Amino acid sequence: MSVTTADHSRRGFSLGEYVTCLNGIVWREALRFLHQRERFVSALVRPLVWLFIFAAGFRQVLGISIIPPYETYILYEVYIAPGLMAMIQLFNGMQSSLSMVYDREMGNMRTLLVSPLPRWYLLACKLLAGTAVSLLQVYAFLLIAWLWDITPPPIGYLTVLPALILSGLMLGALGMLISSGIKQLENFAGVMNFVIFPMFFASSALYPLWRVQEGSPMLYYVCQFNPFTHAVELVRFALYGQINWVSLAVVGGCTAVFMIGAIYAYDPSRGLARRGPAGGET
């Protein structure tokens, strides 16, 4: 192994070797997704409960005014659809992180990270694989929403794809960063409760921010600084063929910061591979 690693460090890796690694990680994630059908169902149940049940009750309470990117009054179901799409990606990013914690305990992640390929590339491949899975879940939700008469412009199904990829990368990188600090699988659920629900409810996913500002100016500023808010707005505008430049900058910047933090945290001298004085893993 050391001879092979040294040889690769001298001559570098070919494009084919990088592609083979990417294919292997994506294929493994796809097989895991196919074998865990309950994961696909649960990813759709959460947003559909909001769409079919909660929206019916909140429709009269939270009337939506004409706000960009909408050009007329809309139903509450139409307003929350982008937020529910982002929610799917948020939960998927955290579930992918859960799988990394599980793989670390079972030894699979350790085997992956000791390969001679650059660590940043391995983590990026894992992130791309998780994002690809979330895209399948989001488009399945859009199909069901279309049957429920939530129909954005036809071109929106295409223009929203780059926004979904970027938001999926940001949320997946955040989950990866969080997973780097979790040492035991049992601690993951508790940590997620302090991440998923505050991010989701303190955002524009369920209600416009001008209404939040009317009720609580402090909460309004919290929502403004919430990266998930900008992920929702990026998806919302892209679904109608528009670009929210502020949200694009925030999501892009947060993606870079979270990914750099995850790469740093997974460094062998600081993260998963660090060993204590007795040789056992810390």
Side-chain angles (χ1 to χ4, degrees):
M1 173 64 75
S2 60
V3 175
T4 304
T5 304
D7 181 63
H8 276 303
S9 63
R10 288 194 299 268
R11 67 178 179 84
F13 293 91
S14 66
L15 178 62
E17 290 172 321
Y18 280 107
V19 172
T20 300
C21 175
L22 175 62
N23 288 339
I25 294 176
V26 172
W27 183 244
R28 180 177 183 272
E29 192 70 20
L31 289 176
R32 170 181 287 174
F33 176 71
L34 291 176
H35 293 156
Q36 296 175 349
R37 296 180 180 87
E38 66 279 0
R39 177 180 170 185
F40 178 76
V41 174
S42 63
L44 292 180
V45 167
R46 283 185 294 264
L48 291 178
V49 167
W50 278 100
L51 186 63
F52 297 154
I53 300 177
F54 285 91
F58 292 158
R59 184 185 303 161
Q60 301 302 324
V61 179
L62 294 173
I64 305 300
S65 62
I66 301 176
I67 55 177
Y70 309 109
E71 298 178 353
T72 183
Y73 286 97
I74 57 172
L75 294 174
Y76 182 64
E77 293 93 322
V78 176
Y79 176 81
I80 65 172
L84 299 180
M85 294 162 61
M87 181 179 73
I88 293 174
Q89 294 192 305
L90 175 61
F91 275 89
N92 182 80
M94 298 307 155
Q95 285 182 324
S96 296
S97 303
L98 174 63
S99 71
M100 293 186 69
V101 176
Y102 177 81
D103 286 347
R104 183 182 64 189
E105 290 194 351
M106 297 298 105
N108 298 329
M109 181 58 64
R110 191 180 302 109
T111 302
L112 175 66
L113 293 178
V114 298
S115 69
L117 284 162
R119 186 174 302 270
W120 66 265
Y121 181 75
L122 296 171
L123 294 175
C125 290
K126 177 71 174 176
L127 182 59
L128 288 172
T131 302
V133 170
S134 74
L135 292 178
L136 297 176
Q137 297 171 336
V138 169
Y139 275 97
F141 169 76
L142 282 174
L143 176 60
I144 299 175
W146 178 79
L147 298 174
W148 199 253
D149 203 26
I150 298 176
T151 55
I155 191 64
Y157 293 100
L158 182 61
T159 57
V160 77
L161 180 58
L164 290 173
I165 293 175
L166 186 56
S167 61
L169 291 174
M170 183 193 76
L171 297 171
L174 174 61
M176 190 177 293
L177 177 60
I178 293 173
S179 71
S180 65
I182 299 177
K183 302 304 180 183
Q184 293 181 344
L185 192 63
E186 293 79 8
N187 299 333
F188 191 85
V191 173
M192 289 303 98
N193 287 333
F194 289 98
V195 176
I196 292 178
F197 294 111
M199 287 189 70
F200 179 66
F201 288 108
S203 72
S204 61
L206 301 179
Y207 21 73
L209 293 187
W210 66 266
R211 282 194 171 274
V212 177
Q213 189 175 22
E214 288 180 348
S216 174
M218 182 177 295
L219 180 58
Y220 168 77
Y221 289 110
V222 172
C223 295
Q224 286 280 25
F225 286 100
N226 182 0
F228 187 74
T229 293
H230 296 281
V232 172
E233 293 306 309
L234 183 66
V235 171
R236 188 188 312 281
F237 277 74
L239 198 58
Y240 289 85
Q242 302 178 35
I243 301 176
N244 187 319
W245 293 104
V246 174
S247 295
L248 177 61
V250 172
V251 174
C254 288
T255 302
V257 170
F258 295 154
M259 190 59 191
I260 292 173
I263 294 172
Y264 179 84
Y266 273 94
D267 187 275
S269 64
R270 304 177 182 88
L272 300 182
R274 184 173 61 183
R275 296 186 177 276
E281 220 178 26
T282 57

